[in-house]
């Protein structure tokens, strides 16, 4: 089975690098879904074994252990050991994603102490977009910046206290942070800028007897 995914540097420039996390936290357990773009994983751990710019099912199947290892190394939640609970592939409008599922018999602290350093060494523009859903509460949206060196509030009784390593504390971001991330997302892709220019051109052009001015 051939995945219609072209792995090139141009594709990387086409869209800002984002990953998606969904945390469903119950009273004494949590379920986590992590979606990673294959184009980003290819940059980090070289999924395209034969270097032809396309990923096949065979290449993805052979790379699953490395994908699991990479994710486990760059994502953790203080006080909540994550156990693998399944994996798969999902196609989205911007390409194919590896979907990793985890579970943990723990109670999620508030704010959620997420340690996230995915792709920090290959793409400084990468962000993780996390949705945290707690039992009986509304969803919390969190922007995870792998390059931000910040201490994470330790979980009471946990030995994995915050360190100087790059981490992202899961505190609810302000509207200004979302605005800043939106601007970064637009400017990070040349196609977005060209699209905006095309939208603005009709606003500054008018038809006259001598043509467009």
């Amino acid at each position: 089975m051939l995945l219609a995914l072209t792995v090139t540097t141009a594709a990387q420039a086409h869209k800002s690098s984002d990953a998606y996390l969904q945390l469903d936290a119950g009273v004494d357990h949590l379920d986590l879904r992590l979606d990673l773009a294959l184009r980003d994983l290819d940059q980090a751990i070289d999924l395209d074994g034969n270097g032809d710019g396309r990923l096949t099912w065979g290449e993805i199947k052979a790379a699953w252990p490395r994908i699991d290892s990479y994710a486990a190394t760059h994502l953790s939640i203080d006080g909540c050991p994550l156990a693998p609970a399944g994996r798969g592939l999902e196609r989205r409008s911007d390409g194919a994603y590896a979907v990793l599922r985890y579970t943990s018999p723990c109670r999620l602290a508030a704010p959620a102490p997420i340690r996230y350093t995915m792709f920090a060494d290959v793409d400084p523009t990468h962000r993780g977009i996390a949705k945290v859903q707690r039992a009986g509460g509304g969803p919390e949206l969190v922007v995870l910046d792998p390059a931000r060196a910040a201490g994470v509030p330790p979980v009471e009784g946990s030995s994995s206290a915050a360190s100087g390593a790059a981490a992202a504390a899961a505190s609810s971001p302000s509207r200004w942070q979302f605005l800043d991330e939106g601007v970064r997302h637009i400017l990070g892709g040349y196609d977005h800028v060209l699209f905006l220019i095309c939208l603005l051109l009709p606003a500054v052009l008018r038809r006259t007897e001598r043509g467009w001015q």
Side-chain angles (χ1 to χ4, degrees):
M1 175 182 177
L2 182 67
L3 296 175
L5 173 70
T6 301
V7 184
T8 63
T9 54
Q12 184 70 12
H14 172 79
K15 181 185 182 301
S16 297
S17 173
D18 298 311
Y20 304 94
L21 298 85
Q22 182 171 329
L23 262 172
D24 293 318
V27 176
D28 56 2
H29 78 281
L30 65 83
D31 296 312
L32 169 65
R33 169 175 169 155
L34 171 63
D35 292 24
L36 300 172
L38 293 186
R39 62 176 177 275
D40 294 335
L41 285 168
D42 184 63
Q43 294 288 321
I45 57 177
D46 192 18
L47 304 180
D48 186 19
N50 59 11
D52 65 352
R54 301 184 70 85
L55 294 178
T56 65
W57 168 242
E59 288 173 326
I60 299 301
K61 185 177 180 180
W64 273 125
R66 289 187 290 127
I67 294 174
D68 291 336
S69 177
Y70 184 83
T73 303
H74 294 83
L75 171 66
S76 63
I77 301 177
D78 283 355
C80 293
L82 299 175
R87 62 191 180 193
L89 293 177
E90 182 174 297
R91 176 165 298 285
R92 298 190 174 192
S93 61
D94 61 333
Y97 281 71
V99 178
L100 305 175
R101 298 180 183 274
Y102 302 91
T103 186
S104 181
C106 74
R107 180 166 186 162
L108 189 66
I114 302 174
R115 294 178 174 275
Y116 183 88
T117 58
M118 213 74 67
F119 309 119
D121 54 342
V122 295
D123 188 351
T125 70
H126 176 77
R127 297 294 185 273
I129 311 299
K131 176 184 177 183
V132 181
Q133 181 68 57
R134 299 176 185 273
E140 306 167 23
L141 294 179
V142 182
V143 177
L144 304 172
D145 180 357
R148 188 183 68 178
V152 179
V155 178
E156 184 177 354
S158 171
S159 61
S160 54
S163 67
S171 56
S172 298
S174 69
R175 67 185 65 181
W176 298 112
Q177 184 177 357
F178 277 117
L179 177 62
D180 178 70
E181 292 298 328
V183 172
R184 178 194 65 82
H185 179 85
I186 292 175
L187 297 181
Y190 64 88
D191 58 320
H192 297 147
V193 178
L194 291 175
F195 177 71
L196 290 176
I197 292 176
C198 290
L199 289 179
L200 292 174
L201 280 177
V204 296
L205 293 175
R206 64 189 180 93
R207 181 82 176 188
T208 68
E209 296 178 354
R210 290 175 293 179
W212 286 99
Q213 292 185 350

